[in-house]
């Protein structure tokens, strides 16, 4: 068997997760926890969080490329993520599935748990491990708050609280979230979620390929 044919066979037996860059570290952590050597990850830019209209077209291209490369088992590591159903249309077009729920803040907490508290969180500004690590790059600098702190009220005046959805127990990240709440003038709440539905979903969707059956 040639190297090309071996590579093609390997990809055919692999589950490829095409995910948001904001959850890359978490997908890899779940992969390691589940010992899923047959799972591979590719990511779209995390900055698409701010440009949801770019997600579906980029996913369309990524799925087409993955299929051209020989991947037969593809899972989408996105919820709806503010696309108004556009991701669902791409998933339907290519006969692939995605993470359940409206956004990662929901599936980290667990969809059923999120449904129970979402009304009380209408005015919550969510942070995750990723957003704590990237708080300056994702919020402070793009919004110009380092140069114009007076804009904080304009951007965050309608929020009541910062809710840190912690995937890990990291005091350094806790401090970032607490400092963010203080800077924004909001109350602070920490919820340890772990990886939430990400673990159970990847276990269910990527647990087996036809080669394993």
């Amino acid at each position: 068997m040639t190297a090309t044919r071996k590579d093609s066979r390997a990809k055919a037996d692999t589950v490829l997760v095409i995910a948001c860059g904001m959850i890359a570290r978490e997908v890899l952590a779940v992969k390691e926890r589940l010992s899923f050597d047959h799972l591979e990850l590719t990511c779209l830019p995390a900055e698409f969080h701010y440009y949801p209209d770019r997600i579906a077209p980029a996913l369309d291209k990524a799925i087409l490329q993955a299929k051209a490369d020989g991947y037969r088992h593809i899972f989408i590591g996105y919820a709806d993520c503010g696309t108004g159903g556009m991701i669902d249309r791409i998933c339907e077009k290519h006969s692939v599935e995605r993470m359940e729920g409206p956004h990662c803040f929901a599936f980290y907490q667990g969809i059923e748990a999120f449904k129970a508290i979402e009304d009380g969180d209408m005015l919550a500004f969510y942070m995750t491990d990723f957003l704590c690590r990237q708080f300056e790059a994702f919020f402070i600098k793009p919004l110009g708050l380092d140069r114009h702190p007076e804009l904080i009220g304009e951007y965050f005046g309608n929020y009541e609280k910062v809710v840190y959805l912690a995937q890990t127990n990291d005091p350094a990240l806790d401090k970032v979230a607490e400092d963010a709440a203080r800077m924004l003038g909001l109350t602070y709440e920490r919820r340890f979620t772990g990886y939430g539905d990400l673990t159970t979903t990847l276990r269910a969707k990527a647990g087996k390929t036809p080669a394993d059956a």
Side-chain angles (χ1 to χ4, degrees), residues 6-25:
K6 286 181 180 179
D7 183 60
S8 178
R9 173 66 181 273
K11 288 180 178 178
D13 292 339
T14 294
V15 177
L16 178 67
V17 177
I18 304 176
C20 171
M22 286 180 60
I23 69 167
R25 183 188 293 248

Side-chain angles (χ1 to χ4, degrees), residues 63-186:
I63 295 169
L64 286 171
Q65 184 61 58
K67 289 185 174 182
D69 289 342
Y71 291 100
R72 294 170 50 202
H73 312 290
I74 299 169
F75 183 73
I76 303 305
Y78 277 90
D80 179 72
C81 298
T83 66
M86 292 175 63
I87 289 178
D88 285 332
R89 288 191 281 277
I90 295 300
C91 288
E92 183 177 0
K93 172 183 175 181
H94 293 288
S95 299
V96 298
E97 295 181 89
R98 67 163 174 88
M99 289 294 304
E100 183 182 353
H103 40 61
C104 63
F105 309 124
F107 68 66
Y108 276 145
Q109 296 182 86
I111 297 301
E112 293 307 314
F114 174 73
K115 288 178 181 178
I117 52 85
E118 63 178 320
D119 288 344
D121 278 0
M122 287 294 291
L123 301 180
F125 177 71
Y126 284 128
M127 296 185 70
T128 62
D129 283 11
F130 175 90
L131 291 174
C132 284
R133 292 188 185 96
Q134 302 295 329
F135 186 67
E136 184 171 347
F138 257 62
F139 296 107
I140 300 298
K141 290 185 176 179
L143 297 178
L145 301 182
D146 51 339
R147 303 182 305 278
H148 300 285
E150 68 275 9
L151 294 176
I152 289 175
E154 290 190 33
Y155 289 122
F156 297 93
N158 291 325
Y159 291 102
E160 291 182 347
K161 60 184 177 180
V162 166
V163 177
Y164 171 31
L165 306 175
Q167 282 71 69
T168 57
N169 288 308
D170 186 332
L173 299 183
D174 292 346
K175 186 176 186 305
V176 172
E178 291 171 1
D179 288 348
R182 190 176 302 109
M183 182 188 75
L184 301 177
L186 304 174

